[in-house]
């Protein structure tokens, strides 16, 4: 939780009462909930250098563009000065504040009956519409342009030995293949990059997406692969599927049926989705191991088993669980 000075600056910019704030989470950003009138809002505070404001402005500008063209997403609201961000400073600390309207609905795991073909198609249709719209998106001033996908920087020295080196070598192999892929307008553009089931709410069959702070320029099929990877992680157990691969193929068949209603995707890119799923699986290890101190005792059993299982599959020449599919 943050001190009153930072919160007061945000309140003065966006026009809310700090006494109404309720703490929600503190992971990549600090998030609070508040009500104003009869509406719910979320205050997001990102601890970043002031220069990073341009990057966040680029994110929320794109989100407003999508919402104004019919995408159900949490709308970023403006400050009294008509800006989409506010810089809040106190001593050496600097936070970039943004505020989003709340969204109706529940998460997918609140009701097991929600998890099925209808949701998968709607999810795909929403992403397809976003990709179609982004083809015409112009950020204007290039200083407000989001970053391009690039290979990961792995600076933790503990990740260059043993099993972690095996994972890293696999990541670098996939990244090399990705770097050589074409970047045409029909296949590459601004994507959410984290459109997983905990980043949207479901209300009467419609979904509202949020949490665009990972958005970047990448391949549309990569966005699909990320969604599929997370669907396998969190939803392949909901029914008695014989394997994660079987569930992944079922999910993608339904998802792509919705997707192509809104955006065309060539078969060559559909066939690359399993590659992007492998990329997401491997890169996730380096996300949660970023600050690992090299002490195996600080990893839980689930993490240790995931590393061992993944390394065994790589060394056996097998695709990762959930990625061994033909589309």
């Amino acid at each position: 939780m943050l001190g009153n000075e930072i919160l007061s600056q945000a309140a003065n910019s966006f026009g809310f009462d700090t006494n109404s704030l309720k703490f929600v989470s503190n992971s990549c950003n600090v998030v609070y909930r508040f009500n104003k009138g009869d509406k719910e809002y979320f205050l997001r505070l990102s601890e970043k250098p002031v220069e990073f404001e341009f990057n966040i402005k680029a994110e929320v500008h794109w989100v407003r563009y999508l919402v104004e063209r019919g995408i159900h997403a949490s709308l970023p609201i403006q400050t009294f000065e008509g800006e989409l961000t506010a810089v809040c400073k106190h001593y050496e600390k600097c936070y970039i504040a943004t505020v989003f309207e709340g969204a109706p609905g529940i998460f997918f795991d609140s009701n097991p009956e929600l998890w099925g073909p209808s949701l998968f198609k709607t999810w795909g249709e929403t992403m397809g519409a976003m990709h179609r719209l982004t083809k015409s998106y112009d950020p204007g001033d290039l200083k407000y342009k989001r970053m391009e996908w690039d290979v990961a920087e792995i600076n933790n020295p503990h990740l260059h030995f043993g099993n972690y080196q095996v994972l890293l070598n696999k990541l670098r192999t996939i990244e090399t293949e990705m770097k050589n892929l074409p970047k045409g307008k029909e296949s590459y553009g601004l994507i959410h990059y984290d459109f997983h089931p905990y980043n949207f709410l479901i209300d009467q069959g419609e979904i509202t997406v949020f949490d665009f702070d990972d958005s970047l320029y990448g391949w549309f099929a990569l966005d699909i692969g990320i969604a599929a990877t997370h669907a396998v992680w969190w939803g392949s157990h909901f029914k008695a599927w014989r394997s994660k691969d079987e569930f992944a193929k079922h999910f993608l068949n339904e998802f792509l049926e919705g997707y192509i209603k809104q955006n065309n995707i060539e078969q060559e890119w559909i066939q690359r989705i399993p590659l992007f799923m492998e990329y997401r699986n491997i890169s996730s290890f380096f996300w949660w191991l970023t600050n690992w101190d090299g002490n195996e005792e600080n990893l839980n059993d689930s993490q240790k088993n995931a590393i061992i299982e993944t390394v065994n599959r790589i060394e056996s020449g097998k695709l990762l669980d959930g990625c061994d599919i033909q589309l």
Side-chain angles (χ1 to χ4, degrees), residues 20-36:
S20 68
L21 290 174
K22 295 182 179 178
F23 177 75
V24 175
S25 64
N26 182 7
S27 54
C28 298
N29 304 293
V30 185
V31 179
Y32 292 85
R33 177 192 295 113
F34 68 89
N35 290 320
K36 184 178 178 182

Side-chain angles (χ1 to χ4, degrees), residues 260-307:
I260 61 176
K261 290 180 181 179
Q262 293 289 339
N263 190 52
N264 182 54
I265 182 169
E266 298 294 334
Q267 184 63 29
E268 65 175 303
W269 288 105
I270 291 175
Q271 291 173 346
R272 290 186 177 112
I273 291 172
L275 170 71
F276 293 130
M277 292 173 67
E278 280 213 289
Y279 168 73
R280 184 64 163 195
N281 271 287
I282 294 294
S283 60
S284 68
F285 286 102
F286 296 96
W287 179 77
W288 56 261
L289 288 167
T290 299
N291 298 314
W292 179 54
D293 63 1
N295 185 352
E296 295 285 338
E297 295 303 314
N298 291 331
L299 301 177
N300 61 42
D301 289 341
S302 177
Q303 292 170 330
K304 293 175 185 177
N305 291 336
I307 292 167

Side-chain angles (χ1 to χ4, degrees), residues 140-156:
D141 192 328
L142 288 180
K143 69 183 178 182
Y144 297 124
K145 188 175 183 290
R146 293 290 285 183
M147 68 193 75
E148 302 266 346
W149 177 88
D150 203 352
V151 300
E153 292 186 16
I154 310 298
N155 297 319
N156 188 334

Side-chain angles (χ1 to χ4, degrees), residues 130-148:
M130 289 167 54
H131 292 172
R132 171 176 52 79
L133 289 168
T134 200
K135 293 175 184 177
S136 303
Y137 175 65
D138 182 1
D141 192 328
L142 288 180
K143 69 183 178 182
Y144 297 124
K145 188 175 183 290
R146 293 290 285 183
M147 68 193 75
E148 302 266 346

Side-chain angles (χ1 to χ4, degrees), residues 195-254:
F195 196 169
H196 62 63
Y198 286 109
N199 275 340
F200 62 78
L201 293 172
I202 309 161
D203 183 48
Q204 298 181 8
E206 297 291 334
I207 68 173
T208 301
V209 59
F210 49 88
D211 202 1
F212 285 75
D213 59 341
D214 284 337
S215 59
L216 49 68
Y217 284 87
W219 297 272
F220 298 143
L222 171 58
D223 222 11
I224 297 171
I226 289 170
T229 300
H230 287 270
V232 171
W233 288 354
W234 293 324
S236 58
H237 65 282
F238 269 59
K239 291 184 178 180
W241 303 103
R242 287 178 297 178
S243 69
K244 290 183 179 180
D245 294 324
E246 182 183 337
F247 172 79
K249 186 168 184 177
H250 169 82
F251 169 82
L252 280 164
N253 284 337
E254 302 288 354

